[in-house]
């Protein structure tokens, strides 16, 4: 398919006179792959130094008989910038999560291909493989730093006035590079609403790339205005990971009881999952939460265990921005894609099949708004039985669905 030109076309429409004839310019974002959306510059292809987990001093078992997690964990700890933690062909049993914690960056976990390298999860909780912030964090932890944004910056702005920035000096790299969440009180005029009456539901994740004593510069820039009367705030993440990849293997959750995604990326920058098969998830197959400019491509997410009901599915996107989900196959799960309170992402050219279309919630295959308040996301070129915003937790706005095929049929009857 001729894919990327479509995204480029929408970007041009947003910046030219033709925008008024098709989609209002204020409803579009700069969705430029490899620049503002997805891993900047593209997923690295030059990482060639391998740390073989089956060799000394790691000697991971690749027959599936013994727990390989401690050996893989040690290899991750030993890996330096641009190293590959290499899992040769075989089956790797993991009794607890294989985790890259915040502060560990620029490494790849790579197998010999989805048909050859199988990682099987036996863990009772947590992901089989995850990239996780060092504090396990949540943007709303009581001790999480909060900076008030003043001056009513407008859509597209990159320099934000936040008062004293000294508090950022205590963070990794003095705060430079930190992913950060920008949010504001619910705008009742739009409206921004939440069923449980939560506030600050319109959110964007960006990254601090520079600062002065009173300002921070973010990249990418604002997707929407931050008027002072809605008390906008900036919250940085703690220890985070960047440029960490998971590639060329299968993750199997048949023996896992985790309530989390089999693969999870949390509060990270420019991380990716590529050419990975994820199957037999108890709940979600792949979860991306609190991230900026991450990427999931050329993956297969299939065969959810048990009945197709709520709180599970293929791809879960939670409060993330400028991420790219492209060229994936998602099947035999419900929903295929679930988006919660995310903004500025691109879900493009995915093949979604074998999910029931009857009913309301159970009919969702691409669900663009389960958790409030999603906005400025692009859905382009997807093949799926159905597209829906279920509004279960609240509102959404400013999303774009462009040249998809939502065909309204299914082989499922439940």
């Amino acid at each position: 398919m001729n894919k990327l030109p479509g995204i480029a076309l929408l970007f041009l429409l947003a910046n030219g006179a033709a925008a008024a004839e098709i989609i209002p310019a204020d409803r579009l974002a700069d969705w430029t792959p490899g620049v503002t959306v997805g891993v900047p510059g593209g997923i690295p292809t030059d990482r060639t130094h391998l740390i073989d987990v089956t060799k000394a001093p790691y000697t991971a078992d690749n027959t599936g008989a013994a727990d390989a997690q401690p050996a893989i964990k040690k290899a991750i700890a030993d890996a330096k910038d641009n190293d590959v933690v290499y899992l040769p062909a075989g089956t790797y049993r993991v009794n607890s999560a294989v985790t890259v914690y915040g502060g560990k960056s620029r490494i790849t976990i790579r197998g010999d291909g989805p048909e050859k390298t199988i990682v099987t999860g036996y863990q009772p909780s947590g992901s089989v493989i995850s990239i996780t912030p060092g504090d396990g964090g949540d943007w709303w932890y009581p001790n999480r730093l909060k900076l008030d944004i003043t001056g009513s910056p407008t859509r597209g702005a990159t320099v934000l006035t936040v008062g004293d920035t000294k508090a950022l000096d205590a963070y990794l790299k003095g705060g430079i590079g930190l992913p950060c969440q920008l949010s504001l009180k619910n705008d009742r005029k739009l409206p921004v609403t939440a069923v449980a009456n939560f506030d600050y539901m319109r959110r964007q994740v960006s990254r601090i790339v520079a600062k002065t004593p009173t300002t921070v510069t973010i990249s990418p820039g604002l997707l929407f205005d931050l008027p002072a009367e809605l008390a906008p705030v900036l919250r940085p993440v703690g220890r985070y990971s960047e440029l960490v990849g998971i590639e060329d293997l299968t993750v199997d959750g048949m023996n896992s009881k985790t309530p989390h995604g089999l693969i999870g990326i949390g509060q990270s920058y420019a991380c990716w999952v590529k050419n990975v098969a994820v199957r037999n998830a108890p709940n979600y197959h792949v979860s991306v939460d609190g991230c900026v400019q991450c990427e999931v491509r050329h993956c297969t997410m299939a065969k959810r265990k048990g009945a197709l009901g709520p709180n599970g599915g293929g791809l879960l996107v939670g409060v993330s921005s400028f991420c790219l989900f492209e060229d994936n196959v998602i099947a035999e799960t419900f929903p295929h894609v679930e988006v919660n309170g995310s903004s500025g992402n691109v879900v493009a050219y995915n093949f979604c099949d074998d999910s029931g279309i009857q009913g309301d919630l159970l009919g969702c295959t691409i669900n663009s708004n389960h958790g409030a308040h999603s906005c400025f996301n692009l859905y382009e070129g997807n093949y799926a039985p159905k597209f829906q915003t279920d509004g279960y937790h609240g509102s959404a706005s400013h999303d774009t669905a462009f040249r998809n095929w939502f065909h309204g049929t299914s082989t499922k009857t439940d």
Side-chain angles (χ1 to χ4, degrees), residues 355-413:
S355 180
I357 64 167
Q358 288 74 29
D360 182 19
L361 179 63
L362 291 179
C364 301
T365 59
I366 294 181
N367 188 354
S368 67
N369 179 50
H370 184 64
H373 175 101
S374 299
C375 59
F376 291 102
N377 298 301
L378 169 65
Y379 301 86
E380 178 183 333
N382 299 289
Y383 174 95
K386 188 174 179 180
F387 179 87
Q388 181 174 344
T389 168
D390 74 23
Y392 191 89
H393 290 286
S395 57
S397 66
H398 297 81
D399 280 348
T400 297
F402 178 69
R403 67 178 190 185
N404 301 277
W405 185 3
F406 302 128
H407 52 78
T409 63
S410 175
T411 60
K412 298 293 184 183
T413 58

Side-chain angles (χ1 to χ4, degrees), residues 208-370:
I208 298 171
V209 296
K211 67 183 179 71
T212 72
T214 59
T215 68
V216 296
T217 300
I218 61 167
S219 178
L222 293 181
L223 287 164
F224 42 82
D225 297 346
L226 299 179
E229 61 268 24
L230 295 179
V233 295
L234 179 151
R235 289 180 170 88
V237 73
R239 294 175 63 84
Y240 71 101
S241 293
E242 63 182 20
L243 292 164
V244 174
I246 303 166
E247 301 177 352
D248 302 333
L249 48 80
T250 286
V251 172
D252 193 319
M254 180 57 72
N255 298 297
S256 172
K257 298 179 181 179
T258 181
H260 304 94
L262 291 181
I263 292 180
I265 305 178
Q267 293 177 305
S268 300
Y269 164 68
C271 296
W272 67 88
V273 185
K274 178 184 176 185
N275 192 34
V276 172
V278 190
R279 64 194 186 202
N280 300 317
N283 291 81
Y284 293 98
H285 289 73
V286 177
S287 171
V288 177
D289 183 44
C291 294
V292 58
Q293 292 198 259
C294 290
E295 197 161 327
V296 178
R297 64 164 51 250
H298 303 319
C299 293
T300 300
M301 293 161 253
K303 297 183 180 179
R304 183 180 171 192
K305 290 195 302 186
L308 297 183
N311 300 315
L315 173 64
L316 175 66
V317 185
V319 195
S320 296
S321 299
F322 306 104
C323 296
L324 177 60
F325 309 100
E326 186 175 29
D327 284 345
N328 301 292
V329 174
I330 312 174
E332 298 178 75
T333 186
F334 150 80
H336 294 117
V337 179
E338 179 184 317
V339 180
N340 295 312
S342 296
S343 57
N345 302 288
V346 174
V347 179
Y349 299 92
N350 301 288
F351 180 87
C352 304
D353 199 23
D354 276 343
S355 180
I357 64 167
Q358 288 74 29
D360 182 19
L361 179 63
L362 291 179
C364 301
T365 59
I366 294 181
N367 188 354
S368 67
N369 179 50
H370 184 64

